[in-house]
Amino acid sequence: MFKWNLRVPLLLDLTKARRECEFPETRQTVREIWAEPTIPDLWACWEQHGKHSPLLAVDIETERSPLQISEVGFASDPHHALHIPFVVEKKSWWKTAEEEVPPWKFVKHVCQSSIPKIRQNLQYDMYWLIKEMGIKMMNYKHDAMLLSHAWQPELGKSLYFLGSVLLDEARWKNIRKSIDKEDF
């Protein structure tokens, strides 16, 4: 029995499969991801990539129990990204509360910079940044979730779904089941 509500995702998947079949090898985008940044790394990444970006992608992740911001990520283009961990496996990434202040000052600087920004589920992220850290997002230009709703109201809005049908990318959300700080 054909489920008509799955017609568009099926067509998008088939279009993606056809596009992939045109190449004999698996293609992957080469990326530089700053995943264990020191405070100097944050500013070096900003100087090299962030402050020159025409559109900066910003995303936060939250822990459920207790509900708090666990990660903040920035991407200046498809090839450069910065990941700032705050909570990993319910433990603070930074050794002391004092060590956590400079990364949050960096996040505030980037979020309030004049660089235009794109977010996924902008209202959720803005709420948590303001509520938890007093950081007001400035110069936001797009919300990918709202753009996808305008494009295809009946389709899923999550980054997981949008990435699966629109990008030539491997699955990236929920890849890790658990992580040790030493392996991060």
Side-chain angles (χ1 to χ4, degrees):
M1 176 177 196
F2 186 75
K3 295 185 178 185
W4 284 99
N5 63 325
L6 298 178
R7 181 178 180 272
V8 174
L10 173 67
L11 292 173
L12 290 169
D13 281 343
L14 291 173
T15 301
K16 182 177 176 178
R18 182 177 179 199
R19 192 170 57 244
E20 285 296 315
C21 287
E22 293 174 4
F23 299 91
E25 73 283 346
T26 302
R27 298 172 300 136
Q28 291 185 329
T29 303
V30 176
R31 290 194 172 84
E32 178 182 327
I33 302 174
W34 301 42
E36 296 182 27
T38 62
I39 303 308
D41 288 341
L42 298 176
W43 293 104
C45 185
W46 175 251
E47 288 296 317
Q48 291 175 31
H49 308 292
K51 77 177 192 179
H52 306 293
S53 177
L55 185 64
L56 189 67
V58 182
D59 192 31
I60 71 165
E61 298 296 331
T62 52
E63 287 278 322
R64 291 184 185 231
S65 180
L67 199 51
Q68 60 188 331
I69 298 171
S70 58
E71 307 168 48
V72 178
F74 301 102
S76 57
D77 59 56
H79 307 284
H80 300 95
L82 172 64
H83 171 259
I84 307 169
F86 287 99
V87 177
V88 176
E89 298 263 320
K90 302 192 185 312
K91 296 177 188 161
S92 177
W93 174 261
W94 305 93
K95 292 179 182 139
T96 66
E98 292 78 27
E99 282 187 21
E100 195 173 298
V101 172
W104 279 116
K105 286 184 177 182
F106 174 81
V107 169
K108 181 176 183 176
H109 172 81
V110 174
C111 287
Q112 294 181 348
S113 73
S114 61
I115 305 295
K117 296 162 193 76
I118 185 167
R119 309 284 300 243
Q120 168 72 7
N121 199 359
L122 175 70
Q123 290 180 341
Y124 179 85
D125 288 3
M126 286 179 67
Y127 169 80
W128 280 102
L129 285 170
I130 289 170
K131 178 184 180 285
E132 293 296 315
M133 302 310 300
I135 297 173
K136 183 177 179 185
M137 176 64 60
M138 310 274 291
N139 301 309
Y140 50 89
K141 189 169 185 167
H142 300 294
D143 182 333
M145 187 172 74
L146 294 178
L147 290 171
S148 66
H149 184 72
W151 170 62
Q152 290 283 350
E154 70 279 6
L155 294 182
K157 308 298 178 269
S158 70
L159 280 179
Y160 175 76
F161 174 79
L162 294 172
S164 74
V165 297
L166 299 175
L167 301 176
D168 297 328
E169 296 291 334
R171 179 178 175 211
W172 72 89
K173 285 288 229 180
N174 304 322
I175 291 173
R176 66 180 188 252
K177 300 284 186 226
S178 67
I179 191 165
D180 290 330
K181 188 172 181 176
E182 293 77 31
D183 296 332
F184 202 88

